[in-house]
Amino acid sequence: MSLNCNEINLIIEELNLTGAFIQEIVQPGYDTISFRVINKGAVSTILICTAPQACRISRTKCRPPKNEKPLRFNEFLKSRIQGMRINSCRQLGLDRIILLDVSTWKERLFMYARLWSNAANIIVTDENGTILDCMYRRPGKGEISGGQYSPQEIIPSDEEQKAALEKFPVRSFSSLNISEEQQSTLSFNEKIDLYYSEHASSLSKESLLEQAEKWYNAKRGKMEHALQNLLEKKARFENAEAARHTGDLILSFASQIQGFSLDCIDYATGEKVHIQLDEKKTPQENAAAYYGQYRKSVSGKDALEHDIELSRKAIASLDAEYKKISSEQNTLKIEQLLRRSTAPRQHSEKKHPGLQYEIEGWTLIVGRTAAENDELLRHFVKGQDMWLHTRDYAGGYVFIKARKGKSIPLEILLYAGNLAVHHSKARKNGSADLYYTQVKYLRRAKNGPKGLVIPTQEKNLYIKTDEARLRKLDEIEKFKNYL
């Protein structure tokens, strides 16, 4: 349940933010903002939540965790609001809209926190009411940068205020899991903080853990189904010997073939067997098809073992992630972990053309075509990144993303070199000479085709294809897909 107008007034009165300075702003989730403020030497954390059925403002004892990647509105507030003085903080009449008047010596801004369950928002405007930014951008309502927002304040009469107090009384929150003696010593802000950490529908631990359990069960079910398919495929591969034996029988009893089938006595078991044949093929071609199945099964069996192991590792990783969420006590941290875990990969990763591998803390990016090479060079790599390409053979570009204060280890260079050979015309040779240099030493060939560059200050590297390295990189890519 969200706070009512009388509860908001009581909280603001207890907060007494007039004259406080905003020190730090953190946005742990899309619907929550926290301000670390200092007022007359006392430091406290103020939390504003816009989640449906949990809209509130209160002082909180727990320090909200920072988001892994800073959110847009958080960055805006840090650049414009952080460091400002709070001139006043009040509710506009009985409308559940809180106005924070903040300023520095050269600028004055208004921040409105509208705590309506179905239309909550935080809107920052200048003195003229022009919107600078919002927590939620809603073009249909004009709540976007450049729009106008100046809600009128209707001062309630004494009778209206009394009627509102009767209709929306200040709750006692007697359901808190503490003794009556402890309740009597708590301020209303402290009660709110405790209540919403225990009972709020959108931020309560119980509700979030329920969401986490549904996500975990659904994802684990899919992973277990994929693993079962791999195990069934492995069982079929293990019957590869039967395909070879069938081919042997066809060649051994070719003279007994009648029509499109073969009925013979299996010399290995002494039992009568029936083999259906392809009417369009000769006996030798039918036998060759069974031998082909055998070779395919044998060659694919090793790769399948790797896939099964990766699938099991992915399930173990999911179990560990769910255990971490389940054991977390901070509800804001649970919400953050859950949001990060359930976010689609395309939302969490920066999309770029080509392939990407993460190994030993280094990022390798592969452009497979001229268009991908050109796009990566123009928009996704920087001067300090390393570039590799095969000499005398057409192929893709491989980039090693630079790390501040770190030189590229030989192992990583060898991994990148193997990728460069693998994605080039030298792949069949199994080896090639490469040249490598930093991206800043590349220059485009005048009037040359797309993606063509001429390197300077390059060094030579001879690479002989290492299947173990390529297999490891392939495992990394598959493991990422499993997750």
Side-chain angles (χ1 to χ4, degrees):
M1 184 183 294
S2 299
L3 296 180
N4 63 45
C5 56
N6 294 301
E7 291 168 341
I8 290 172
N9 275 333
L10 180 55
I11 285 174
I12 291 174
E13 184 182 332
E14 287 185 358
L15 290 178
N16 190 23
L17 294 176
T18 302
F21 286 87
I22 300 173
Q23 279 192 323
E24 183 182 23
I25 301 174
V26 175
Q27 186 176 3
Y30 292 109
D31 53 20
T32 308
I33 284 285
S34 75
F35 300 85
R36 196 157 176 81
V37 299
I38 183 168
N39 192 7
K40 299 176 182 177
V43 179
S44 58
T45 301
I46 310 303
L47 184 138
I48 300 178
C49 180
T50 60
Q53 306 304 318
C55 294
R56 69 191 187 279
I57 179 173
S58 67
R59 183 185 293 113
T60 180
K61 288 184 178 179
C62 76
R63 193 163 183 177
K66 292 183 179 180
N67 205 54
E68 185 176 345
K69 292 183 179 179
L71 300 176
R72 168 192 56 80
F73 191 57
N74 188 29
E75 292 299 285
F76 165 77
L77 292 178
K78 285 170 67 176
S79 66
R80 299 299 297 271
I81 302 292
Q82 193 163 295
M84 283 189 160
R85 179 183 185 274
I86 301 176
N87 302 317
S88 65
C89 175
R90 71 180 194 279
Q91 181 178 195
L92 300 183
L94 301 173
D95 285 339
R96 289 179 294 157
I97 299 176
I98 299 168
L99 169 60
L100 272 80
D101 180 349
V102 296
S103 68
T104 61
W105 63 274
K106 62 178 180 179
E107 186 178 29
R108 184 185 183 191
L109 301 176
F110 297 129
M111 185 168 73
Y112 298 91
R114 190 174 62 211
L115 303 183
W116 300 351
S117 281
N118 297 323
N121 207 349
I122 299 177
I123 301 170
V124 180
T125 73
D126 61 16
E127 293 183 82
N128 299 318
T130 302
I131 297 175
L132 303 178
D133 208 348
C134 314
M135 175 178 270
Y136 305 109
R137 291 174 175 171
R138 298 185 175 114
K141 295 183 177 180
E143 294 175 4
I144 54 173
S145 300
Q148 287 291 315
Y149 188 76
S150 299
Q152 291 185 347
E153 181 176 5
I154 301 174
I155 306 298
S157 64
D158 292 341
E159 290 183 359
E160 288 173 332
Q161 206 156 7
K162 185 178 178 181
L165 191 58
E166 291 177 358
K167 187 176 181 180
F168 305 109
V170 175
R171 290 167 289 176
S172 62
F173 295 103
S174 56
S175 61
L176 292 175
N177 202 13
I178 56 176
S179 66
E180 291 183 11
E181 185 180 349
Q182 287 176 307
Q183 280 206 31
S184 63
T185 61
L186 295 178
S187 67
F188 191 68
N189 268 274
E190 290 171 326
K191 289 180 182 180
I192 290 294
D193 194 29
L194 275 174
Y195 175 81
Y196 280 98
S197 66
E198 292 177 6
H199 301 287
S201 59
S202 62
L203 283 179
S204 70
K205 186 177 179 182
E206 293 79 6
S207 176
L208 289 169
L209 290 181
E210 186 179 341
Q211 292 177 42
E213 185 178 7
K214 288 181 181 177
W215 158 77
Y216 168 74
N217 289 336
K219 189 160 187 177
R220 202 179 198 284
K222 290 179 182 178
M223 287 183 168
E224 287 176 342
H225 181 67
L227 177 59
Q228 186 60 35
N229 288 340
L230 291 173
L231 292 172
E232 290 174 2
K233 191 174 181 181
K234 180 186 175 183
R236 292 196 296 270
F237 279 5
E238 287 174 346
N239 294 327
E241 195 64 37
R244 186 177 71 170
H245 185 61
T246 302
D248 290 344
L249 289 174
I250 293 172
L251 293 180
S252 298
F253 298 98
S255 60
Q256 299 182 22
I257 294 175
Q258 296 181 357
F260 309 129
S261 62
L262 169 64
D263 293 296
C264 63
I265 301 298
D266 188 339
Y267 54 78
T269 63
E271 297 179 357
K272 187 175 181 179
V273 294
H274 175 81
I275 303 172
Q276 196 69 30
L277 303 176
D278 188 338
E279 60 186 60
K280 297 180 181 179
K281 295 180 180 178
T282 65
Q284 290 75 18
E285 289 173 337
N286 274 283
Y290 279 103
Y291 290 143
Q293 290 179 27
Y294 167 74
R295 287 192 297 272
K296 185 177 179 181
S297 296
V298 171
S299 64
K301 190 175 178 181
D302 290 341
L304 193 61
E305 289 286 357
H306 287 300
D307 287 355
I308 290 171
E309 183 62 25
L310 287 172
S311 182
R312 285 174 173 154
K313 285 181 180 178
I315 291 173
S317 176
L318 178 69
D319 291 343
E321 193 172 0
Y322 177 64
K323 185 177 180 181
K324 182 179 179 181
I325 292 173
S326 301
S327 60
E328 179 60 53
Q329 299 301 314
N330 187 334
T331 53
L332 289 175
K333 186 67 175 176
I334 294 174
E335 191 268 344
Q336 191 180 86
L337 288 170
L338 184 59
R339 174 163 37 84
R340 189 172 63 200
S341 300
T342 56
R345 278 184 59 200
Q346 61 266 33
H347 290 180
S348 57
E349 294 181 4
K350 186 174 184 179
K351 294 191 71 173
H352 59 70
L355 303 174
Q356 178 173 316
Y357 301 89
E358 304 287 340
I359 184 164
E360 297 178 17
W362 294 85
T363 300
L364 311 181
I365 300 177
V366 183
R368 297 161 295 182
T369 64
E372 288 184 352
N373 293 338
D374 186 66
E375 184 71 9
L376 289 169
L377 279 168
R378 288 179 182 275
H379 303 294
F380 295 98
V381 294
K382 298 180 179 179
Q384 299 297 321
D385 299 336
M386 191 64 72
W387 168 88
L388 297 91
H389 188 253
T390 49
R391 286 183 182 269
D392 307 321
Y393 290 96
Y397 293 168
V398 178
F399 300 94
I400 306 174
K401 295 294 290 180
R403 293 172 60 188
K404 190 174 182 180
K406 300 282 186 180
S407 56
I408 299 173
L410 177 60
E411 277 293 304
I412 301 302
L413 203 59
L414 292 176
Y415 277 114
N418 271 271
L419 285 172
V421 175
H422 185 72
H423 292 279
S424 74
K425 294 288 181 70
R427 180 176 179 176
K428 292 183 179 180
N429 297 347
S431 64
D433 282 312
L434 307 178
Y435 38 24
Y436 66 98
T437 188
Q438 289 181 311
V439 171
K440 63 184 178 182
Y441 297 127
L442 301 175
R443 61 183 178 85
R444 296 186 181 280
K446 189 175 182 180
N447 299 322
K450 180 182 284 189
L452 181 62
V453 292
I454 299 172
T456 58
Q457 299 192 32
E458 72 275 18
K459 295 180 181 178
N460 192 71
L461 179 68
Y462 174 74
I463 289 290
K464 186 175 181 181
T465 302
D466 186 338
E467 291 298 332
R469 292 182 191 277
L470 291 172
R471 192 181 302 116
K472 185 172 181 180
L473 290 168
D474 185 50
E475 287 176 4
I476 291 169
E477 182 66 18
K478 286 181 178 178
F479 185 67
K480 188 168 64 175
N481 291 331
Y482 278 122
L483 292 175

